Amino acid sequence: DPIRGLTREDAVRLGSSGIPIHVMPAEPEDPYHLRANAFALRDAIPGATLTRGFPVTPSRFFAADRDAFVAELHRVIHLVRENS
């Protein structure tokens, strides 16, 4: 399986569902949110893309990046709308 809890078959179904899949990695990564897992997930789901990474919440690092996080979510949402 590409990552725990997601079978290859599930990944293929997600990729063929027509729903845009954007994977947001943790930045910085930690033992529970490895960047390699984000790449594995992106690579396993056909058509998935990797967005910019952000600190996980809650963490002391997230508050400083909250505005950038919201801006990235808006960017991705607008991409999805434009491509629909």
Side-chain angles (χ1 to χ4, degrees):
D1 294 348
I3 64 168
R4 183 186 58 189
L6 181 76
T7 66
R8 292 192 187 285
E9 294 79 20
D10 290 339
V12 170
R13 275 195 295 273
L14 277 171
S16 63
S17 69
I19 299 169
I21 307 294
H22 301 273
V23 179
M24 186 175 287
E27 188 65 45
E29 69 179 352
D30 64 34
Y32 304 102
H33 303 92
L34 300 175
R35 193 154 181 83
N37 289 350
F39 284 112
L41 186 58
R42 185 227 24 219
D43 293 345
I45 300 172
T49 61
L50 196 68
T51 69
R52 178 181 163 199
F54 290 93
V56 297
T57 60
S59 92
R60 64 178 194 246
F61 304 110
F62 184 74
D65 283 330
R66 188 182 343 260
D67 290 341
F69 175 78
V70 170
E72 181 67 6
L73 287 180
H74 282 187
R75 185 189 73 77
V76 169
I77 289 167
H78 287 287
L79 279 177
V80 169
R81 285 183 180 167
E82 289 174 3
N83 295 324
S84 295

